[in-house]
Amino acid sequence: MTIGSRRDVLGGIGAGVVLAGLGSGRALGAGVGSPRKIGYAVVGLGYYATRQIMPNFANCEHSRLVALVSGTPAKLEQYGTEYGIPKTHRYSYADFDRIRDNPDIDAVYIVLPNSLHAEYTIRAAQAGKHVMCEKPMATSVAECRAMIAACRKAGRKLMIGYRSRFEPYNRLAIELARGGHVGPTQLVTAEHGFPIQPNQWRLDKPLSGGGSMMDIGIYSLNAARYLTGEEPVSVSAVESTDRSDPRFRTVEDRVTFALRFPSGVIANCISSYSSAHNGYRVVGTKGWIEMEPATPYVGQAMTIRKDNQTQSRVLPAPAKNQFAGQLDHLAECVLNGTDPIVPGEEGLADLRVIEAIYRSAAEGRQVSLSA
Ligand code: NAD
C-alpha cells in the first residue's frame, strides 16, 4: 500500500485545520490570537464522561470543555469547580434546550444510557449544536435514522464515539488487513466481553436497549466491519442466557454471530456479559494479524504471523491518545467543513446488523442483510 492510499483508508484523520472565516476565539480559555477551539458540552456525568472524556480535553488541540449537563446538582458543582465551568454554563436535563442560547457551545457529547441517545441528539441538533454521541448510537435502526435526519435538517455534524478508529494499532490493523499484508483476508475472528456486575442500567432493557451485544459485542461487530471495509450480507447468531441469573432478567448474556461479507470473507464473533474477551484476528492467505487486547483504553498489543514467522509489532506512543484524537476529529470536521470518518451512518450500520443478530438468534435461522 502506498502512502498516498493510506490517507484514503484512514479517512484523512489529522488533516490540517483551516481556520479562515471562523471568527475570533471566545472566552473560557481561548486567548487572543489563539486558534479557535470547538466548545463541547458534556451531557451525562457518569463513569465514561468523568474518567475518560473530560480529563482528555487537556490533550486536545482543537477542542475544549465549556459546559456540563447533569441531573445531579452536586455533580455540576463538583465537576464545574474542577474544570472551571461557570454556573452560566451548567445545565440540568430540564434546562437542556437553553444550550441554544449559549454561543460558547458548538457541540454536545452525549454520554448517557443508550436509550437516551436519540432524544438528546435530536434536541441538541434542534438547538443548533453538532453532536458526538456514544456507542451504541441508539437502541434501534429507526432511532438512528431519526437522529441522522435531525442533524441533517439542522445542518449539523453527527459523529459516533468509535474511539478505536483514532487508536494507532487499530488504524494500522485496518491498513494492513485491507492492504493485503497477510494476503487477501479470508476470515476474521473477534471477541469482546466482560463479567458484568449486577444492578446497573446496562441490565435494564428500557435503558440499554439490549444486553452484551449493545454494550460490548458491538466492538466485535464494528471491528469485523472496519477490518474488512465491507458490509455483511447475512448473519447467523446463537444466544445463550441464563434467565434465572438476576442480571439477565431483561437482557441477553452471550451471543456468537457469524457474518458473511460480499467478498466471501467470514467473520466469527463473540459477545459476552459473563466471560472476559478483548481481541481479534484477521487471517489471510499468507498469515494473520492479531490484536490482543484490541480495544481497551490503553495497552493494545499486535502480533503478526507472515511467511512462517511470528513477530510483535510495537508502535511509538502517539502524540494524542484515542480520546483526544476522537474529540479533535469532530472539532476538525466542524472547523474544516468535512465529514467525520465515523458519522451517524456508521452507528446505523452497526444497529442494522445488531437487529439482524437478535432476529437470527430468536428465529434460529440465517438472516439476510442484502439491499
Ligand atoms: P454511567 O452509568 O457511568 O453514566 C451514565 C450517566 O447518565 C450517569 O451520570 C447517570 O446519572 C446519567 N443518567 C441520566 N439519566 C439517566 C437515567 N434515566 N438512568 C440512568 N442514568 C441516567 O454509564 P457510562 O459507562 O458512562 O456509559 C454512558 C454511555 O457511554 C453509554 O452509552 C455507554 O455505552 C458509553 N460508553 C462508551 C465507552 C467507550 O469506550 N466508548 C465506555 C463506557 C461507556
Side-chain angles (χ1 to χ4, degrees):
M1 175 165 293
T2 63
I3 302 231
S5 62
R6 179 178 170 148
R7 169 154 286 190
D8 297 337
V9 169
L10 300 178
I13 298 168
V17 175
V18 177
L19 295 167
L22 290 164
S24 57
R26 295 190 181 100
L28 292 163
V32 176
S34 62
R36 166 102 155 81
K37 285 190 175 188
I38 290 304
Y40 277 88
V42 168
V43 186
L45 302 180
Y47 171 81
Y48 191 60
T50 60
R51 305 288 175 85
Q52 303 300 333
I53 299 303
M54 285 155 53
N56 270 301
F57 280 100
N59 298 319
C60 288
E61 288 173 85
H62 310 299
S63 314
R64 62 198 178 118
L65 179 63
V66 299
L68 300 172
V69 183
S70 171
T72 311
K75 284 192 201 169
L76 287 172
E77 180 59 31
Q78 178 192 341
Y79 294 110
T81 303
E82 185 176 337
Y83 286 92
I85 308 297
K87 288 198 166 49
T88 51
H89 290 54
R90 303 176 192 172
Y91 300 86
S92 68
Y93 296 114
D95 271 354
F96 179 74
D97 302 304
R98 286 204 300 104
I99 62 171
R100 173 195 311 272
D101 304 321
N102 189 334
D104 289 323
I105 302 171
D106 300 290
V108 302
Y109 192 154
I110 295 164
V111 208
L112 290 167
N114 308 339
S115 69
L116 300 171
H117 292 183
E119 177 190 339
Y120 282 88
T121 294
I122 292 167
R123 286 169 68 180
Q126 288 172 346
K129 307 303 179 185
H130 303 282
V131 179
M132 177 85 78
C133 178
E134 257 315 315
K135 49 52 65 179
M137 177 175 173
T139 59
S140 69
V141 164
E143 284 182 344
C144 293
R145 292 211 167 107
M147 294 158 78
I148 291 168
C151 291
R152 189 172 295 147
K153 187 172 173 201
R156 292 295 175 265
K157 311 279 178 200
L158 172 57
M159 175 169 157
I160 310 304
Y162 288 118
R163 59 180 166 73
S164 296
R165 296 293 293 275
F166 304 92
E167 189 286 312
Y169 282 94
N170 281 275
R171 291 169 60 179
L172 178 61
I174 293 172
E175 180 180 334
L176 295 176
R178 294 198 207 170
H181 183 68
V182 290
T185 300
Q186 305 297 303
L187 289 155
V188 175
T189 59
E191 305 183 5
H192 284 83
F194 64 95
I196 193 156
Q197 296 298 309
N199 306 317
Q200 52 171 310
W201 64 261
R202 285 178 169 77
L203 299 170
D204 183 13
K205 193 168 181 184
L207 283 170
S208 61
S212 72
M213 246 341 285
M214 284 283 179
D215 189 34
I216 190 74
I218 194 171
Y219 286 90
S220 295
L221 166 59
N222 198 245
R225 291 182 48 254
Y226 63 64
L227 291 166
T228 58
E230 297 183 52
E231 294 305 326
V233 290
S234 69
V235 54
S236 302
V238 177
E239 182 207 322
S240 181
T241 303
D242 176 359
R243 295 288 174 187
S244 71
D245 183 327
R247 295 175 301 170
F248 303 127
R249 288 206 183 99
T250 64
V251 300
E252 83 281 358
D253 175 10
R254 281 154 288 152
V255 183
T256 66
F257 55 100
L259 306 171
R260 195 160 52 81
F261 290 95
S263 63
V265 173
I266 295 170
N268 228 341
C269 303
I270 287 173
S271 170
S272 176
Y273 260 169
S274 55
S275 47
H277 313 251
N278 190 314
Y280 57 67
R281 182 185 277 211
V282 180
V283 186
T285 53
K286 297 181 195 158
W288 44 257
I289 301 156
E290 185 178 83
M291 287 273 283
E292 172 81 50
T295 61
Y297 296 154
V298 289
Q300 276 76 359
M302 178 182 274
T303 310
I304 298 175
R305 181 161 180 83
K306 188 179 178 182
D307 302 329
N308 296 322
Q309 288 200 324
T310 307
Q311 284 184 330
S312 303
R313 188 77 179 258
V314 179
L315 297 177
K320 208 186 277 184
N321 67 24
Q322 59 186 322
F323 307 100
Q326 179 195 317
L327 289 163
D328 270 351
H329 180 64
L330 178 62
E332 287 184 313
C333 289
V334 171
L335 292 165
N336 288 335
T338 52
D339 292 325
I341 62 165
V342 278
E345 286 76 5
E346 179 71 13
L348 166 64
D350 274 351
L351 258 296
R352 187 169 162 262
V353 182
I354 290 174
E355 286 190 352
I357 287 169
Y358 285 148
R359 201 174 322 130
S360 173
E363 298 176 7
R365 64 176 181 90
Q366 178 173 299
V367 170
S368 171
L369 279 158
S370 41

